C-alpha cells in the first residue's frame, strides 16, 4: 500500500469531514428559505407515512440544507461508495442524516435495498433521492425513487428548489447550482404521488415519465419566478434516432 493512502484516508474520513460540515453549516446558515407546499409533508407525517423526496441532482446542495432542519423530521440519503463519497457521507452524517452507501454506478442496488429496509422498519424516516442518480443524464428520472416508494409503501414528494443568487458549476455533469452567501432560496413541494405495490413495466414507465415531467415543470415555473437562468437545459434528453 502506498504510504500516501492511509494519510489520504485519514484526511477524508477523520479530519476534513468535521471541518467541511462546520464550513457548510456556517455558509448555508446565511441562506433564506421560503417554502410552498409544506402541508404535503406535514400531512404525510400526521398520517405516519414516510416521504421519498424526489429532487434533481443539480439542486441537491440547497435542498440538502433544507432537509437538515430538525422541524422537518428525520431523513436518509444515498451517497457514493467512492473515496470522495466517503468524505461527503461523513459530512451528511454530521448534519444528522442517515446515509446508505451506493450510487447508480457503484452499489446502488444494495444501498436502495438498505433504504427500503430502513423505511419499512421506521415509519418516521424520510428519504431524499435525486431522480437522475449520480451520473445522469441530467434531469432524466431513473427508477430508484419510485422503487423505494413502492416497496416501502411511502409516498413520492416532488421537491424543486431555485435561486437567482447562485453560481452554476459548468464542468459537473449536472451543472450543479451553488447558492451564494445570503441567497434567497425558494422550495416548492408537489402533491404526493402514490406508487401501487404491483405495476406492469408499462405502468411503471408511465409513472417514471410522470415524475420526470412533474419535476421539470415545477423547476421551469419556479426558475421563472426566482429569475434563475442557465445556458443549458434542466433536462438532457437523448437525441432522437435518425432513420437510415
Amino acid at each position: 500500500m502506498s504510504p500516501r493512502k492511509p494519510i489520504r484516508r485519514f484526511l477524508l474520513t477523520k479530519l476534513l469531514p468535521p471541518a467541511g460540515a462546520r464550513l457548510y453549516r456556517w455558509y448555508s446558515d446565511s441562506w433564506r428559505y421560503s417554502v410552498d407546499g409544506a402541508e404535503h409533508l406535514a400531512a404525510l407525517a400526521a398520517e405516519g407515512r414516510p416521504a421519498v423526496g424526489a429532487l434533481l441532482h443539480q439542486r441537491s446542495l440547497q435542498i440538502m440544507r433544507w432537509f437538515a432542519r430538525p422541524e422537518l423530521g428525520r431523513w436518509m440519503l444515498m451517497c457514493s461508495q467512492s473515496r470522495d463519497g466517503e468524505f461527503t457521507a461523513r459530512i451528511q452524517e454530521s448534519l444528522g442524516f442517515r446515509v446508505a452507501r451506493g450510487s447508480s454506478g457503484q452499489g446502488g442496488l444494495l444501498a436502495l435495498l438498505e433504504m427500503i429496509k430502513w423505511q419499512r422498519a421506521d415509519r418516521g424516516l424520510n428519504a431524499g433521492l435525486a431522480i437522475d442518480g449520480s451520473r445522469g443524464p441530467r434531469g432524466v428520472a431513473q427508477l430508484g425513487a419510485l422503487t423505494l416508494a413502492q416497496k416501502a409503501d411511502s409516498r413520492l414528494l416532488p421537491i424543486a428548489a431555485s435561486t437567482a443568487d447562485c453560481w452554476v458549476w459548468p464542468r459537473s455533469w449536472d451543472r450543479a447550482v451553488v447558492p451564494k452567501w445570503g441567497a434567497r432560496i425558494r422550495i416548492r413541494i408537489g402533491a404526493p404521488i402514490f406508487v401501487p405495490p404491483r405495476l406492469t413495466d408499462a405502468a411503471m414507465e408511465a409513472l417514471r415519465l410522470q415524475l420526470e415531467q412533474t419535476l421539470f415543470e415545477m423547476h421551469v415555473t419556479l426558475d421563472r419566478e426566482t429569475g434563475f437562468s442557465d445556458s443549458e437545459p434542466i433536462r438532457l434528453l437523448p437525441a432522437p434516432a435518425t432513420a437510415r
Side-chain angles (χ1 to χ4, degrees):
M1 179 183 294
S2 168
R4 293 183 177 181
K5 288 186 177 181
I7 297 175
R8 177 182 174 83
R9 180 167 182 80
F10 174 77
L11 289 173
L12 289 177
T13 61
K14 301 296 183 183
L15 187 61
L16 293 180
R22 286 194 295 270
L23 178 62
Y24 175 70
R25 190 185 296 274
W26 167 78
Y27 184 80
S28 60
D29 274 348
S30 73
W31 301 344
R32 297 294 176 261
Y33 286 93
S34 59
V35 182
D36 303 323
E39 67 275 8
H40 297 308
L41 181 58
L44 289 180
E47 186 183 342
R49 191 179 304 278
V52 177
L55 55 132
L56 296 183
H57 201 281
Q58 182 191 61
R59 313 295 172 99
S60 58
L61 188 63
Q62 52 202 300
I63 293 179
M64 183 176 75
R65 186 63 180 96
W66 179 73
F67 278 159
R69 293 183 165 195
E71 65 269 22
L72 295 178
R74 294 177 293 111
W75 293 80
M76 60 177 169
L77 307 175
M78 184 186 292
C79 190
S80 168
Q81 291 181 349
S82 67
R83 285 179 298 181
D84 292 341
E86 178 74 17
F87 171 69
T88 303
R90 294 301 179 98
I91 290 180
Q92 291 172 343
E93 288 170 348
S94 71
L95 291 170
F97 296 109
R98 185 182 295 189
V99 181
R101 300 301 305 279
S103 68
S104 60
Q106 296 183 28
L109 178 57
L110 292 177
L112 183 61
L113 291 173
E114 190 169 29
M115 295 176 84
I116 293 170
K117 179 181 177 181
W118 288 347
Q119 274 206 331
R120 283 176 172 174
D122 185 349
R123 304 305 284 169
L125 182 62
N126 301 306
L129 276 178
I131 64 162
D132 41 3
S134 64
R135 294 187 175 184
R138 180 174 69 247
V140 176
Q142 299 172 14
L143 292 177
L146 286 99
T147 301
L148 175 56
Q150 181 187 49
K151 301 301 183 183
D153 191 23
S154 309
R155 295 291 182 268
L156 281 173
L157 276 187
I159 299 177
S162 182
T163 178
D165 308 321
C166 63
W167 299 282
V168 175
W169 187 10
R171 293 188 178 182
S172 60
W173 68 266
D174 61 343
R175 296 184 65 83
V177 175
V178 182
K180 296 179 181 179
W181 177 269
R184 295 183 178 274
I185 300 171
R186 290 279 299 278
I187 299 285
R188 180 158 294 161
I189 306 172
I193 299 174
F194 171 58
V195 184
R198 290 181 177 83
L199 286 174
T200 64
D201 290 346
M204 181 64 92
E205 174 63 10
L207 266 181
R208 185 194 69 80
L209 290 173
Q210 176 189 341
L211 176 62
E212 180 181 304
Q213 186 64 21
T214 296
L215 271 175
F216 174 76
E217 293 175 356
M218 287 173 65
H219 280 90
V220 168
T221 302
L222 200 56
D223 288 347
R224 187 183 303 121
E225 294 173 4
T226 64
F228 171 82
S229 63
D230 187 13
S231 59
E232 295 288 334
I234 299 171
R235 181 170 52 180
L236 194 62
L237 293 174
T242 56
R244 295 189 177 182

